[in-house]
Amino acid sequence: DKFPSSLMLMCEEAFEGCSNLKHVDLSATRIKTMPCRVFSESEIETIKLPKFLRTLDTKCFSYCHNLKKIDLPDTLRDIGIGAFAESGLKEIKLPEDLKTIGSFAFMNTPLEKVELNNAYGHSIFAGCKHLEKVVYTKNCEIFSFKMFKFSKVREVILPDTIKEIDFDDDMRKIDIDSIKDYKEYKKE
């Protein structure tokens, strides 16, 4: 379902729980903020986001179990609390200029691969048990274990721009197999 280019705003919870809406195309719209719970608990499988999107609000795609992949626009700056919590996402590449990621944004998702930059927060990937690879891109300065509470991560790739590693108070809640240098990762 392609939405018209004149569309600028959507209401909170507009399509929450919709079971018949499977494919959404918002790419031509002028929406800058996806509101709170706009598609939460819906059956969407694919979505094309607006080209000039800046914010994904709280729980906008939470419990979208059929949503396996999403392409985030480079214009995106903020991801709200629980935005993709309990969704079906398996892979995500976060935009380089992303500024904030709310707590529990990707909680309990079946994510396998994540690419991220300097944006970080508390328990972003809490409960993600299938993370094979987390790749921090260039310009990343802080690595925080707090993002991975109650998660299982096979491999974390860090660039040579890392200046600080932020540990969690209770490291027993975090399971990371290995940490590698980005230069070595690129050689593989």
Side-chain angles (χ1 to χ4, degrees), residues 96-183:
E96 282 193 32
D97 291 329
L98 187 66
K99 300 293 182 218
T100 61
I101 305 173
S103 298
F104 311 108
F106 299 96
M107 180 180 76
N108 293 334
T109 60
L111 279 170
E112 295 171 357
K113 184 177 181 188
V114 175
E115 288 186 41
L116 65 150
N117 65 2
N118 225 14
Y120 71 98
H122 194 273
S123 300
I124 294 170
F125 302 104
C128 293
K129 304 288 186 195
H130 307 285
L131 279 167
E132 289 292 318
K133 196 167 285 195
V134 176
V135 180
Y136 281 79
T137 58
K138 60 182 179 173
N139 302 325
C140 182
E141 295 181 353
I142 299 172
F143 169 68
S144 176
F145 280 97
K146 293 177 182 179
M147 295 194 315
F148 302 100
K149 268 195 166 186
F150 304 104
S151 297
K152 169 78 174 126
V153 183
R154 181 171 304 257
E155 185 175 56
V156 175
I157 312 298
L158 298 177
D160 59 6
T161 54
I162 290 291
K163 294 180 180 171
E164 179 182 340
I165 294 180
D166 183 19
F167 285 93
D168 190 82
D169 295 335
D170 189 355
M171 292 300 291
R172 294 171 294 172
K173 297 177 182 171
I174 301 165
D175 189 359
I176 296 176
D177 287 349
S178 72
I179 297 177
K180 290 185 177 177
D181 185 290
Y182 189 79
K183 290 176 192 170

Side-chain angles (χ1 to χ4, degrees), residues 24 26 34 39 44-50 53 56 60-62 64 66-73 76 79 83-84 87-95 106 111 113:
V24 177
L26 297 168
M34 295 299 293
F39 290 103
I44 62 168
E45 297 171 6
T46 62
I47 185 163
K48 291 183 182 175
L49 294 172
L53 185 68
L56 293 172
C60 58
F61 295 103
S62 63
C64 291
N66 297 326
L67 185 63
K68 307 291 184 215
K69 186 177 185 296
I70 191 167
D71 292 323
L72 302 176
L76 188 66
I79 295 177
F84 295 98
S87 72
L89 283 182
K90 289 189 176 259
E91 186 174 322
I92 192 83
K93 181 177 185 208
L94 300 173
F106 299 96
L111 279 170
K113 184 177 181 188

